[in-house]
Amino acid sequence: MEQFKGQSRLPKFAVPKRYDIRLKPDLTACNFAGSVAIHLHIVADTTFIVLNVADLSVHSASLSFDSSSKVLEPSKIELVEADEILVLEFPHTLPLGIGVLNIAFQGTLNDKMKGFYRSTYEHNGEKKNMAVTQFEPADARRCFPCWDEPACKATFKVTLDVPSELIALSNMPIIEEKVDGHLKTVSYQESPIMSTYLVAVVVGLFDYVEDHTSDGIKVRVYCQVGKADRGKFALDVAVKTLGLYKEYFAVPYSLPKLDMIAIPDFAAGAMENYGLVTYRETALLYDEQHSAAANKQRVATVVAHELAHQWFGNLVTMEWWTHLWLNEGFATWVSYLATDSLFPEWKIWTQFLDESTEGLRLDGLAESHPIEVEVNHASEIDEIFDSISYRKGASVIRMLQSYLGAECFQRSLASYIKKYACSNAKTEDLWAALEEGSGEPVNKLMNSWTKQKGYPVVSVEIKDQTLVFEQSQFLSSGSHGDGQWIVPLTLCCGSYDARKNFLLQTKSETLNIKEFLSDKSNSASAWIKLNVDQAGFYRVKYDEDLAARLRYAIENNYLSATDRFGILDDSFALCMARQQSLTSLLTLMGAYREEVEYTVLSNLISISYKIVTIAADATPDLADYVKQYFISLFQCSAEKLGWDPKTGESHLDAMLRGEVLIALALFGHDPTLNEASRRFQAFLDDKNTPLLPPDTRVAAYMAVMRRVSNSNKLAFESLLRLYKETDLSQEKTRILSSLASSPDPNIILEVLNFLLSSEVRSQDAVYGLSISMEGRETAWTWLKDNWEHISKTWGSGFLITRFVSAIVSPFASFEKAKEIEEYFASRSMPSIARTLKQSIERIHIYANWVQSVQNEKHLAEAVKELAHRKY
């Protein structure tokens, strides 16, 4: 038996073909009984059968073959907990061919939001349990014994024994329901061939709304009783999206129905189970009156993401978790394609830059990882569901699509899906399909982006009429990495009509630009922008002359929103890496004083928060001037947008209003704080007041929390009361994300303890971790004092990584980094190892940045001058 221990994959001598699964959940005792008959093909001589099992007790196992009437009993059954495997040893070599393995087992409906688990809800004031599955990445084994690897595809026939008044759903439509007193037996159609992590079951009380696609597929959105209306928006998006994808992938949706269901306790955002997609309530339900514009957008993009998986992931599945990015990066990218088609006015491709930026921020760490990452044990998989797989993955796909052209890309994709439908694929298979369709060296080009971590910064300087390019690995620490890439460079000179594209395949290259300069522009003043529309996953560093020309181009509104975003974001990253002064970044930010584009302003605001905390860590007086400067910078937008929504205004203005007001509140702008307080009071007196619509609530909540202290807790108590009264998850999230804005450490401690109370669902606690700068120390002490409880409650999933990153990474001193490292030295666990290293690396980066700001000459004078400049 020893040979099977400590292996990353199961042995290949038996191949499952079909599972007949029967489950009987007991929602009161919170356990379940089950049996499975696995039709398998014995393909090599063996006396062993090895499959995955975790947290189940196995009662019996036997194997029978069509070729003989004999039933074979294993001579030994061993469960290896560390490897989550069940090893069955038989007295003789098993005959080759088709056999049926029967196993009876029992398990617990756990409260860890993985495997077969329980979620709680209220119905007519009574607390009830529902039973739900969440199997990705490797938790189907917690519900039934199986070959729990994505490449072991089979068909699944599910039967459930459940209380007769409940609704029971699975991947496929129901073929038969037999009621016997208080119990009913529900049987479902056999599924097409699929991976175990996509099998799903949900049992509880639900309402639904229903519609059909033009080709007759029944689509339903299920949610808690009484909330059905909130499912209508997602339903509409789903029906339209299925039609879009059918056309884009040139393959129809492959199941007879699609159910989407909101689950009150759900660790991730959503899960693409074939034909039964599960969601957190905030990602599926939209309330016309009480949801914000940002909630509407979240629902649309998440639905589009999960439905993209029905093709990319479910129909064609990654061969192993190393290729997870194929699923996630692709679904992320294509969800923007669908959302843009449905809601062009959202300018979602401009907003896509937020995804790229998140990817660039994580990938600028030495502790990042390549897109394709070796996975040797199930416990390592959770941690790669991160910004690299999703956001860098989506960004390099966008870069490749923009390099190959949209039509050629779509054609090649459709042939890839046809070729690997009902099967598994690796990254190379996708490259081969795109290479064949385009005639370009896709494999060679893309390997430099998926097989090594990081990305380049391309430095550019102008000498006479020649541009000199040089690439080197960008690291936020300012260190030098030794990566090299094949970079699809694009540039514009003086206008978007004068464009040039080429592959930078070496360390450096030159380009004569005489031919690009139109008669009107001359080489001494024409702006030159690299990485046009930010389609490439790299940063650009301009020499001083080129940077000044771009600043002028921004002030005169010559550049697109995506290019304005890119110049700002690259400049911020270079400043953090100490390759550019803070003075020059603050001066550049001044060029954005008349910015109106949501995505650009939103990033300007995010950057301003980081600069304020770095300035405060460097010299507190400096931070006051920096805040004054930012208040004057955002004043113009704030006055234009005001507190009240305008009739017929855009979705983007509705989202921007809240973000600008939050910035003014956090920077201590008294008129904003006073107005927030007035509107908050009006809202408490009358929940239907037009004075505080959903889009500005977070701003008001944060503003009133900024003035809460131990001696003035009224607003805090009011918010806690609102939290307990509302049944809308989005409103609960809004309140949680505002509570820790208080500058009083005593209040911060109360907020953090509230997160651990039974009032807050464990899936939601992480929303409360956006902690004011004044609360950093308190939060760190709290994390240490409660670490045992936190690691017990969240340690088995990925949510624990959020506790670590939110509380650890905001610090900016080397002593703190050392203290944190020493504390975790004896408390590390595989699920947080990577996050912890990344968070400590961030502290070092910030600490170095603080030092360089302290040493920057004439910074204080420059900031004062900027702060007093009248715009």
Side-chain angles (χ1 to χ4, degrees), residues 347-389:
K347 300 183 181 170
I348 204 87
W349 279 117
T350 306
Q351 294 190 60
F352 180 82
L353 297 179
D354 293 335
E355 304 271 3
S356 301
T357 296
E358 283 293 309
L360 290 163
R361 293 226 198 300
L362 178 53
D363 210 25
L365 300 181
E367 290 292 349
S368 179
H369 62 85
I371 281 181
E372 292 184 71
V373 75
E374 277 307 311
V375 173
N376 298 311
H377 196 275
S379 65
E380 297 170 12
I381 304 168
D382 262 342
E383 263 201 315
I384 55 170
F385 280 80
D386 64 2
S387 289
I388 301 297
S389 299

Side-chain angles (χ1 to χ4, degrees), residues 354-506:
D354 293 335
E355 304 271 3
S356 301
T357 296
E358 283 293 309
L360 290 163
R361 293 226 198 300
L362 178 53
D363 210 25
L365 300 181
E367 290 292 349
S368 179
H369 62 85
I371 281 181
E372 292 184 71
V373 75
E374 277 307 311
V375 173
N376 298 311
H377 196 275
S379 65
E380 297 170 12
I381 304 168
D382 262 342
E383 263 201 315
I384 55 170
F385 280 80
D386 64 2
S387 289
I388 301 297
S389 299
Y390 284 71
R391 297 183 163 121
K392 180 181 182 179
S395 303
V396 300
I397 285 168
R398 176 171 176 253
M399 173 165 75
L400 181 60
Q401 187 231 21
S402 121
Y403 176 70
L404 298 177
E407 275 177 39
C408 157
F409 190 78
Q410 180 181 352
R411 248 194 347 267
S412 313
L413 263 190
S415 72
Y416 164 82
I417 286 183
K418 273 200 185 64
K419 183 171 181 182
Y420 293 100
C422 300
S423 172
N424 296 79
K426 298 180 176 179
T427 302
E428 298 75 62
D429 300 323
L430 178 60
W431 298 159
L434 288 162
E435 195 157 304
E436 194 180 318
S438 67
E440 294 281 347
V442 176
N443 199 45
K444 182 179 162 204
L445 165 68
M446 294 311 287
N447 278 347
S448 73
W449 296 93
T450 65
K451 292 195 185 297
Q452 62 178 342
K453 65 183 176 191
Y455 56 87
V457 54
V458 177
S459 304
V460 55
E461 52 177 334
I462 189 159
K463 292 181 176 167
D464 301 326
Q465 296 193 329
T466 302
L467 290 178
V468 181
F469 306 103
E470 189 170 334
Q471 66 157 305
S472 59
Q473 183 171 355
F474 177 82
L475 286 165
S476 299
S477 62
S479 319
H480 286 288
D482 47 12
Q484 195 173 316
W485 287 261
I486 298 178
V487 190
L489 274 192
T490 51
L491 68 140
C492 282
C493 297
S495 105
Y496 283 103
D497 299 330
R499 277 183 88 123
K500 172 85 177 158
N501 308 343
F502 66 96
L503 287 179
L504 174 65
Q505 306 208 38
T506 48

Side-chain angles (χ1 to χ4, degrees), residues 513-586:
I513 52 166
K514 198 161 53 186
E515 52 174 306
F516 299 115
L517 298 167
S518 59
D519 309 334
K520 292 193 290 293
S521 60
N522 66 54
S523 61
S525 64
W527 55 267
I528 293 170
K529 168 72 176 61
L530 263 69
N531 195 8
V532 182
D533 285 332
Q534 297 306 108
F537 194 76
Y538 56 92
R539 296 202 180 276
V540 181
K541 183 183 182 182
Y542 298 93
D543 67 15
E544 276 184 34
D545 175 10
L546 292 172
R549 299 183 196 186
L550 284 170
R551 205 161 53 237
Y552 178 79
I554 291 165
E555 283 169 336
N556 289 283
N557 208 12
Y558 295 153
L559 302 179
S560 67
T562 41
D563 283 331
R564 296 196 300 276
F565 180 104
I567 292 162
L568 173 68
D569 203 62
D570 287 352
S571 184
F572 170 60
L574 290 162
C575 182
M576 187 189 296
R578 312 190 311 285
Q579 294 180 23
Q580 197 180 307
S581 68
L582 182 55
T583 309
S584 71
L585 174 60
L586 290 168

